[in-house]
Amino acid sequence: MALTQFQKLELNKRVDKIFHAPSNAPAKGHQPEIAFVTDMSGDIDAVHSSVRDAVASLKAHDKMFQNMRSNMIYWSDGQITSKVTPMSFILMGRSLDSALASDDEIVGNPDKNVDKSPNFENLCAYLKLYHARCRCILVFVDCSYEELEARYFYITNAEMAKQQLNPFLKYRLLIITKDKMLTGSELMMRLIR
């Protein structure tokens, strides 16, 4: 699921838009921070390949990303774990190694995730609670946009999802599928309809 050149350009533009949005102004004295969420229910290697491509693209795009604090969040059904991971580790492919070493239940046992899908509301609640200082959160899923839409964006309770996206998370979220990107604001509009 490596990102194409067009997807990298779109990613750079959308991340710039997220970081420079008036609703996403930096807190005084806080360094910008970014989070990469990986959906562990699909092809893990493909998702991590696209995360590496995204990091390489962002670092080449703007020097702001050279020393930015980054987090890897591993999202599967029933469990969400996170780890502060420098972007250089992500580029070297070490972010997946750390997940394998630290949490064998999520990554090491793919049979556990069969016929289960992650829950989007739980992810948003977790992000709101533990990663509120991240000014940009990129969610990588291993499916096409149509498949994600058919799964109703992994949402089981639309009202709960709306509550978790408000007041600030909808401005910071970018969901990246194999063929399309969707912001949290666009997702919120879909939920309101």
Side-chain angles (χ1 to χ4, degrees):
M1 186 177 123
L3 297 178
T4 65
Q5 192 62 33
F6 178 74
Q7 288 173 315
K8 290 177 187 177
L9 289 171
E10 183 182 2
L11 175 76
N12 292 341
K13 286 170 53 175
R14 285 183 177 250
V15 169
D16 275 346
K17 194 173 182 180
I18 290 170
F19 269 103
H20 297 98
S23 58
N24 197 9
K28 196 171 190 175
H30 287 273
Q31 294 293 339
E33 193 169 329
I34 192 167
F36 301 96
V37 178
T38 59
D39 174 14
M40 304 304 277
S41 64
D43 182 1
I44 298 165
D45 292 328
V47 171
H48 280 272
S49 170
S50 58
V51 171
R52 279 194 302 274
D53 287 349
V55 169
S57 178
L58 291 171
K59 284 176 92 63
H61 172 66
D62 194 337
K63 67 179 182 177
M64 171 176 77
F65 296 101
Q66 295 301 322
N67 293 315
M68 185 178 286
R69 181 182 167 112
S70 63
N71 302 286
M72 284 296 298
I73 300 161
Y74 305 100
W75 172 40
S76 69
D77 183 54
Q79 287 189 320
I80 303 170
T81 59
S82 63
K83 185 174 177 115
V84 175
T85 308
M87 287 189 189
S88 57
F89 276 37
I90 296 170
L91 283 175
M92 292 186 291
R94 307 256 327 259
S95 60
L96 182 58
D97 296 342
S98 64
L100 288 167
S102 66
D103 203 346
D104 288 332
E105 291 113 31
I106 290 178
V107 182
N109 188 1
D111 295 334
K112 184 178 180 184
N113 294 326
V114 172
D115 293 335
K116 293 184 180 181
S117 63
N119 185 311
F120 185 75
E121 309 86 86
N122 292 345
L123 174 66
C124 288
Y126 181 87
L127 293 171
K128 213 169 168 180
L129 188 61
Y130 295 109
H131 294 281
R133 69 176 174 247
C134 290
R135 288 185 49 214
C136 183
I137 301 168
L138 305 177
V139 181
F140 292 85
V141 293
D142 181 40
C143 63
S144 69
Y145 178 77
E146 286 181 1
E147 291 171 332
L148 186 65
E149 193 175 36
R151 296 176 189 164
Y152 196 60
F153 305 99
Y154 296 131
I155 296 171
T156 56
N157 183 339
E159 286 304 314
M160 181 66 80
K162 285 188 243 179
Q163 287 175 6
Q164 296 303 335
L165 285 169
N166 276 321
F168 62 88
L169 198 55
K170 64 184 172 191
Y171 300 115
R172 299 178 183 183
L173 207 62
L174 181 63
I175 302 168
I176 301 161
T177 65
K178 289 180 179 180
D179 56 351
K180 193 172 179 182
M181 295 180 196
L182 178 77
T183 65
S185 299
E186 293 168 339
L187 178 60
M188 184 69 143
M189 293 306 295
R190 298 212 38 149
L191 292 175
I192 290 172
R193 284 190 225 154

